[in-house]
Amino acid sequence: MQEAGGHYLLDILALLLATVVIIPLFHRIRLGAILGYLTAGVILGPWGFGVITEVEDIRHLAEFGVIFLLFVLGIELKPDKLWQMRKMVIGLGLGQVLITAGLIYGVAIWFGVSNQEAIIIGFGLALSSTAFCLKLLAERGGISTVMGRMSFSVLLLQDIAVVPLLALVSYFAGGSSADIMEPSLKPVYAVMVIVALLFAGRYLLNPIIGRIVASQDPEVFIAVAVLLVLGVAWIMESVGFSMALGAFLAGVMLAESHYRHQIEADILPFRGILLGLFFMTVGMSIDFSLLWERLLDIILLTWGLMTLKCLVVYVLSRITGARHDIALQNGALLSQSGEFGFVLFGFAAASGVLGNQLGDILTLVIALTMVLTPFVVNGTNWLLNRFYSPEASDDEDYEEFVESSEEHVILAGFGRVGARIGTLLGAAGVPYIALEMKQKRVKEARAQGFPVFFGDSSKVKVLQAAGADHAKMIVVTLDSPRQTDQLISQVRQLYPDMPIHTRARDRRHCANLITIGATSAVSETLETSLRLTEEVLLGSGVEEEVVSMVIDEFRDDYYSNVVQKVTENKVVLGELKH
């Protein structure tokens, strides 16, 4: 038992070391994290240094990365916007799967493959990699673009297709009548389960999470988030759907919840580590002995498959009204085959439907398409930027799939100061999202119509979950000076050009905040004293113009060169040192 534990510890250390060394290197040479993870997998795998040989065991763990990825995607899609995509999911998604599978089936039959094998090969290779596509998509604006919306529609339909394809393999394998009848009943159970889950998410989830949040224990909250994702994924798998689709549904259940930003921030570390592990397992799966033995055949199959899928997606995208460049980018992104192919071909080979050698070749082809996808996407973008510019007639008014929170203000804290700022922003028609850690205040604010979400706004990951990547500015109104200092320093490192306006304790705190990156800092003690002084002067008979001049002069002198004045310990207009 000790030896087994030591073995797994060595594997974990090797994976972490490869991540720390190789991923920054690939970022530096601008090849991206995905290729870095693939390279790390090749180096550590059976055909590299052989540090890790039990690839299948690690792949089962790595699949949780895809599950958490789908959950985060689901939490960003509100049900009403998901409903808007239904025509594209059915039209573009179903059309891509059926047409691609049909063409691959015809090619397989032409090469002399049996009818059943050709059907499984056609559908298995028709599906794209959700993990690869969404990761690459996230680097190019996510699903808030026309291309992102189209790509996700195809990927969502492909995840739904998992159920009938596994049932089809079972049928070809000659399952018993009970086994064959079971899939026909599962859709009924699945619909009932989905309705029950959506009902629970709509009416029960927020009160339950609210009671847990009341414990003020962040570890318990993280445990609830993970339990929710894996629990719904397991429920969906038990009725025949994929766990990834179940995780997506769990995200949709939380899309309207005011706890969603905090939950998303808590899940992100799990997603990042496990998704990177998934990409590594793809690199480990490349069988270089088989690749060298059938090099020409595998290269031709890989090239032919990616070309065929790219053309099908391009044509269908153009039919749905996409511009030439968007359709081509969409085709390049979806040109690879996906992780479900590993599962489907492995299941088919174990069931005797697919020959073992043919299954090994197809698995290698899938892995190579994944490896080549980042190069294909980058090459396509380079060619389009160099040789293509949209014509005036191409600039159609596409219905962008954009969150209402684009170009918004983020309020970090919704206490007395934050609530007043939010009220004024709302009155001026400026969109904003506020984050507050006190559950009672969140409930009260939301009951009055304020866009306030539960979340620890002193954590950068929570701000990112609230859309910091495309926010207009960040306003920090936290009570704790220590939390304010840490937050502004971290935000400035991640977002060098982001305007950051913040509340400060006093003049010295203003200077410190500006030094570490705040765009502007307003002293709460100063503004209170100035307003009070203004009333005193007016009540003393001083003319209003003189009062305004004195107050403005004091304020200007207080904030001008505040860093230098604090550093040199200068007193402002007789002000005592605060």
Side-chain angles (χ1 to χ4, degrees):
M1 189 171 179
Q2 234 175 2
E3 291 180 2
H7 170 67
Y8 284 116
L9 178 59
L10 180 61
D11 290 350
I12 294 170
L13 290 174
L15 291 168
L16 292 175
L17 180 62
T19 301
V20 170
V21 174
I22 296 177
I23 306 307
L25 175 62
F26 272 70
H27 275 302
R28 180 177 288 274
I29 60 179
R30 298 185 178 181
L31 288 179
I34 292 181
L35 285 174
Y37 283 121
L38 292 171
T39 304
V42 171
I43 294 172
L44 296 177
W47 300 98
F49 290 112
V51 178
I52 297 174
T53 55
E54 303 298 329
V55 180
E56 286 302 318
D57 292 342
I58 294 180
R59 180 177 290 151
H60 292 312
L61 176 63
E63 287 172 358
F64 284 106
V66 182
I67 291 172
F68 286 121
L69 174 67
L70 265 293
F71 171 76
V72 172
L73 186 64
I75 210 171
E76 294 175 354
L77 286 177
K78 295 182 179 179
D80 57 338
K81 293 192 174 180
L82 190 60
W83 178 250
Q84 294 173 9
M85 297 175 63
R86 67 191 186 280
K87 293 182 180 178
M88 194 168 291
V89 171
I90 297 173
L92 183 58
L94 187 60
Q96 184 274 332
V97 171
L98 293 178
I99 294 173
T100 305
L103 292 173
I104 295 174
Y105 167 82
V107 174
I109 291 293
W110 184 59
F111 275 106
V113 177
S114 69
N115 187 58
Q116 290 185 352
E117 287 182 322
I119 293 175
I120 298 302
I121 292 171
F123 281 108
L125 296 180
L127 307 185
S128 301
S129 172
T130 302
F132 266 72
C133 291
L134 294 183
K135 179 70 173 176
L136 288 170
L137 206 54
E139 297 173 359
R140 292 163 173 78
I143 58 172
S144 61
T145 62
V146 175
M147 186 194 79
R149 184 180 181 182
M150 288 183 164
S151 300
F152 178 70
S153 299
V154 175
L155 294 169
L156 184 57
L157 190 281
Q158 291 177 357
D159 282 328
I160 296 173
V162 168
V163 183
L165 290 180
L166 287 176
L168 185 63
V169 174
S170 180
Y171 175 76
F172 285 162
S176 65
S177 59
D179 294 333
I180 296 170
M181 286 298 294
E182 189 181 0
S184 65
L185 298 176
K186 278 188 176 179
V188 179
Y189 297 140
V191 171
M192 294 173 62
V193 169
I194 290 173
V195 171
L197 288 173
L198 291 176
F199 177 84
R202 183 73 173 85
Y203 298 104
L204 302 177
L205 204 55
N206 274 339
I208 293 174
I209 296 178
R211 290 184 176 275
I212 295 168
V213 169
S215 68
Q216 298 292 317
D217 193 331
E219 286 77 15
V220 175
F221 191 80
I222 294 174
V224 169
V226 177
L227 176 64
L228 177 67
V229 179
L230 299 184
V232 177
W234 174 78
I235 290 172
M236 291 299 289
E237 186 188 39
S238 66
V239 296
F241 284 104
S242 68
M243 292 183 70
L245 191 62
F248 174 76
L249 181 62
V252 174
M253 290 166 57
L254 281 168
E256 299 283 1
S257 171
H258 50 273
Y259 300 105
R260 67 189 184 101
H261 295 304
Q262 182 65 46
I263 291 176
E264 183 179 351
D266 290 337
I267 289 294
L268 283 176
F270 298 98
R271 186 203 70 173
I273 293 173
L274 293 172
L275 197 58
L277 184 58
F278 168 79
F279 295 135
M280 285 189 188
T281 61
V282 174
M284 296 175 195
S285 302
I286 299 176
D287 187 339
F288 284 92
S289 65
L290 180 60
L291 176 62
W292 183 255
E293 181 183 336
R294 305 289 296 273
L295 182 62
L296 182 59
D297 294 339
I298 291 173
I299 289 176
L300 289 175
L301 286 172
T302 303
W303 174 82
L305 175 62
M306 297 188 74
T307 302
L308 176 65
K309 293 189 71 174
C310 183
L311 288 174
V312 171
V313 174
Y314 172 80
V315 171
L316 290 176
S317 299
R318 291 290 282 171
I319 291 173
T320 57
R323 274 197 332 238
H324 167 71
D325 56 332
I326 293 174
L328 195 56
Q329 288 175 323
N330 201 22
L333 183 67
L334 297 169
S335 62
Q336 85 293 131
S337 289
E339 55 275 1
F340 179 66
F342 295 131
V343 179
L344 184 65
F345 294 148
F347 181 42
S351 304
V353 178
L354 194 66
N356 288 327
Q357 185 179 17
L358 181 57
D360 291 341
I361 292 175
L362 293 173
T363 299
L364 181 56
V365 168
I366 292 174
L368 288 178
T369 60
M370 290 182 175
V371 172
L372 293 174
T373 297
F375 294 105
V376 172
V377 170
N378 290 335
T380 302
N381 291 334
W382 182 83
L383 290 173
L384 287 172
N385 290 333
R386 187 173 181 84
F387 299 108
Y388 176 80
S389 57
E391 299 177 1
S393 59
D394 287 336
D395 294 329
E396 300 173 14
D397 186 21
Y398 290 107
E399 180 190 1
E400 292 280 355
F401 185 67
V402 209
E403 286 284 350
S404 58
S405 58
E406 293 281 345
E407 292 295 315
H408 59 296
V409 174
I410 294 180
L411 282 180
F414 203 72
R416 292 173 299 168
V417 177
R420 293 178 187 129
I421 295 174
T423 301
L424 295 173
L425 289 176
V430 177
Y432 71 93
I433 285 178
L435 297 164
E436 173 59 46
M437 196 62 181
K438 293 182 179 178
Q439 183 187 6
K440 182 180 178 182
R441 180 171 286 274
V442 173
K443 289 183 177 179
E444 292 173 349
R446 292 187 68 84
Q448 298 175 49
F450 291 101
V452 184
F453 295 86
F454 175 82
D456 187 354
S457 55
S458 66
K459 307 294 184 185
V460 173
K461 290 180 180 178
V462 178
L463 297 184
Q464 290 175 323
D469 289 342
H470 48 259
K472 185 182 296 182
M473 68 182 69
I474 294 175
V475 181
V476 182
T477 65
L478 299 174
D479 286 328
S480 169
R482 181 181 59 82
Q483 289 183 333
T484 300
D485 294 350
Q486 291 177 350
L487 179 62
I488 289 177
S489 178
Q490 293 172 3
V491 170
R492 180 55 69 211
Q493 289 178 13
L494 289 172
Y495 305 102
D497 301 322
M498 173 72 72
I500 307 172
H501 305 288
T502 181
R503 162 191 181 182
R505 178 74 65 181
D506 49 33
R507 182 167 63 103
R508 185 171 296 278
H509 194 208
C510 286
N512 181 56
L513 291 173
I514 291 174
T515 301
I516 62 179
T519 307
S520 68
V522 177
S523 170
E524 55 190 30
T525 56
L526 172 72
E527 296 304 325
T528 302
S529 60
L530 289 183
R531 184 70 186 92
L532 186 59
T533 302
E534 185 178 0
E535 292 298 329
V536 171
L537 291 175
L538 290 173
S540 300
V542 181
E543 294 183 4
E544 187 173 345
E545 292 182 1
V546 176
V547 172
S548 297
M549 180 185 69
V550 171
I551 295 295
D552 290 343
E553 183 179 353
F554 190 97
R555 180 183 286 111
D556 292 343
D557 188 62
Y558 188 97
Y559 286 119
S560 64
N561 299 321
V562 64
V563 176
Q564 179 182 350
K565 289 176 181 176
V566 168
T567 303
E568 298 174 357
N569 204 25
K570 288 185 177 179
V571 177
V572 181
L573 287 178
E575 179 200 26
L576 297 177
K577 181 180 177 183
H578 292 300

